Amino acid sequence: MFQNQRLMEKIKTNLVLMDKMILFFVYSLVTISTIFVYSATRSQKFVMQNLIWIGLGTFLMFLISFMDYKEYKDHIWKIYGLSAVLLILVRIAGKKTLGAQRWLKIGPFQLQPSEFVKIAIIVIIAFWIVEKYKNGINNLKDIIGAILPVVPLIILILTQPDLGTTLITLTSFVFMIFLYGANMKPIWIIGFVILLSVYPVYKYVLKDYQRTRVENFLNPEKDVKGSGWHVTQSKISIGSGGTFGKGVLQGSQSRLEFLPEAQTDFIFSVISEEMGFVGSALVLFLYFFLIFDIMRISRMVHDNFGKLILYGICGIFFMHVIVNVGMTIGLVPVTGKPLLFLSYGGSSFLSSFIMIGIVESIKIHIE
């Protein structure tokens, strides 16, 4: 009985210590998601599945938040091994869709392991930097050394192929070392090398569908009725919304099925059409304040391991917004990356809630 009382007291204490503003931003986003998933699909089935993922994600978030994040250090190689196994399973038995083999079928559900592995990569990098680079990251050798342990995982993601997740993960790593105070001059060298490699990568590395995405990005009007259809219809949706939009459930682009993947990749286009510039700005402000609040917590943390994890999570959220919103307005090639907490999809919802659970764990267990 006394054990149960102590457990209840601990749960109550943890709930008090959780950051309530982060929860407000998260559940504001998932509420908007549920409304506009229905608007995009007119299907109660999609809404119910969305609510199931939100419920399961909430459970995982609270479960992870009550665990002390510092214990991850004791299990870091188990986390690495599990990540590698999941990616290898995708390689061997994954479901192939639109030229990419990224999903594992588990009963009636499909999960995309790379969505979870990118979180593991952030945790592994944070551990490695804290253990091996106590005196800071001071040169190109240190930068390469800091990311070297996770290169096999990144290669497995890249060869699915999943270029979007690869770029988001690498950019999040840059976020981590920049905010950690690394000497960033070598990054200019790496950037220059990447610039020189753009054409060879485009010509000899990218798959046909990836090259098509790049060409559509540069000139979507070239094939409006074919490969450029997504971006063209997305721009029409966003532009037609005006200042205040057409009203919830009144969007013609999704309702008449002109806008493909409206509930997933192009949920922002649906919101823009129905809620206009004001609604779109509200969504972007919610993301801004979510990221800002995570950064605020990082300033309260004295443990570099926790700081680095928070920096990496901020990088993931920031890059998903940049890539997805940029994709809908034609500034970024179509990569299929979701808008976290908004786009319909189990993997993105669960991974997003797991990240918030880690953030809350760090907030609760600040020493």
Side-chain angles (χ1 to χ4, degrees), residues 84-346:
V85 168
L86 285 172
L87 293 176
I88 290 168
L89 277 175
V90 170
R91 190 75 176 170
I92 295 171
K95 182 180 179 181
K96 196 166 186 177
T97 305
L98 299 175
Q101 192 167 331
R102 303 174 187 168
W103 292 269
L104 282 178
K105 190 169 178 60
I106 303 173
F109 303 109
Q110 286 185 177
L111 288 179
Q112 188 175 349
S114 61
E115 289 291 316
F116 303 94
V117 172
K118 73 185 176 203
I119 306 170
I121 288 173
I122 294 302
V123 174
I124 293 165
I125 290 173
F127 169 81
W128 188 251
I129 290 175
V130 168
E131 291 294 313
K132 300 296 181 181
Y133 298 95
K134 291 181 171 65
N135 297 322
I137 298 172
N138 304 305
N139 50 51
L140 181 59
K141 181 182 176 182
D142 289 348
I143 292 173
I144 294 172
I147 198 172
L148 196 59
V150 297
V151 166
L153 298 179
I154 292 172
I155 290 173
L156 284 170
I157 293 172
L158 180 62
T159 55
Q160 289 182 356
D162 191 347
L163 183 60
T165 300
T166 303
L167 292 176
I168 287 171
T169 304
L170 290 174
T171 308
S172 298
F173 166 71
V174 173
F175 264 68
M176 292 172 73
I177 62 172
F178 172 72
L179 293 170
Y180 187 61
N183 175 14
M184 298 302 289
K185 289 181 181 179
I187 293 294
W188 290 107
I189 299 173
I190 297 172
F192 182 68
V193 171
I194 290 172
L195 187 64
L196 291 177
S197 66
V198 166
Y199 181 75
V201 168
Y202 167 79
K203 188 72 175 176
Y204 302 109
V205 177
L206 296 186
K207 303 288 185 180
D208 289 341
Y209 80 95
Q210 291 172 326
R211 281 197 291 270
T212 300
R213 284 177 173 178
V214 173
E215 291 165 3
N216 290 342
F217 162 63
L218 295 173
N219 186 16
E221 291 78 17
K222 181 180 177 182
D223 186 15
V224 173
K225 293 185 178 180
S227 55
W229 178 264
H230 292 65
V231 175
T232 302
Q233 295 302 320
S234 176
K235 287 181 177 180
I236 292 171
S237 295
I238 293 171
S240 65
T243 303
F244 298 105
K246 299 176 179 177
V248 178
L249 303 178
Q250 301 303 313
S252 59
Q253 289 294 103
S254 58
R255 181 161 49 86
L256 299 177
E257 299 184 354
F258 287 110
L259 185 64
E261 307 298 336
Q263 76 277 14
T264 54
D265 298 351
F266 292 95
I267 191 76
F268 186 76
S269 305
V270 178
I271 294 170
S272 298
E273 182 181 12
E274 299 187 2
M275 296 298 291
F277 174 79
V278 173
S280 304
L282 172 63
V283 167
L284 294 178
F285 273 120
L286 286 171
Y287 280 112
F288 170 79
F289 287 118
L290 175 62
I291 294 169
F292 180 83
D293 211 33
I294 296 173
M295 287 300 299
R296 180 184 60 80
I297 294 172
S298 75
R299 291 195 294 272
M300 300 163 56
V301 179
H302 302 293
D303 171 41
N304 284 331
F305 180 58
K307 278 182 179 289
L308 282 163
I309 292 174
L310 292 174
Y311 295 157
I313 289 173
C314 281
I316 290 173
F317 273 107
F318 178 78
M319 286 308 301
H320 267 274
V321 173
I322 293 296
V323 170
N324 183 276
V325 175
M327 176 181 74
T328 63
I329 59 179
L331 295 180
V332 174
V334 176
T335 59
K337 291 296 99 186
L339 199 50
L340 301 182
F341 287 125
L342 275 185
S343 296
Y344 171 83

Side-chain angles (χ1 to χ4, degrees), residues 18 20-34 54-62 286 290 341 353 356 360:
M18 291 182 79
K20 308 305 188 298
M21 288 307 298
I22 283 182
L23 297 181
F24 171 76
F25 299 135
V26 166
Y27 285 99
S28 294
L29 287 167
V30 298
T31 300
I32 294 170
S33 169
T34 305
I54 292 169
L56 183 56
T58 298
F59 172 76
L60 287 174
M61 179 189 69
F62 280 105
L286 286 171
L290 175 62
F341 287 125
F353 274 108
I356 296 301
E360 294 287 8

Side-chain angles (χ1 to χ4, degrees), residues 13-22 64-70 293-294 296-298 300-301 306-307 310 355-367:
T13 302
N14 288 343
L15 289 172
V16 170
L17 292 173
M18 291 182 79
D19 192 288
K20 308 305 188 298
M21 288 307 298
I22 283 182
I64 291 169
S65 70
F66 293 163
M67 299 176 183
D68 190 339
Y69 73 96
K70 290 184 283 294
D293 211 33
I294 296 173
R296 180 184 60 80
I297 294 172
S298 75
M300 300 163 56
V301 179
K307 278 182 179 289
L310 292 174
M355 285 191 285
I356 296 301
I358 294 172
V359 171
E360 294 287 8
S361 172
I362 295 172
K363 169 66 167 58
I364 290 169
H365 297 96
I366 290 174
E367 292 184 350

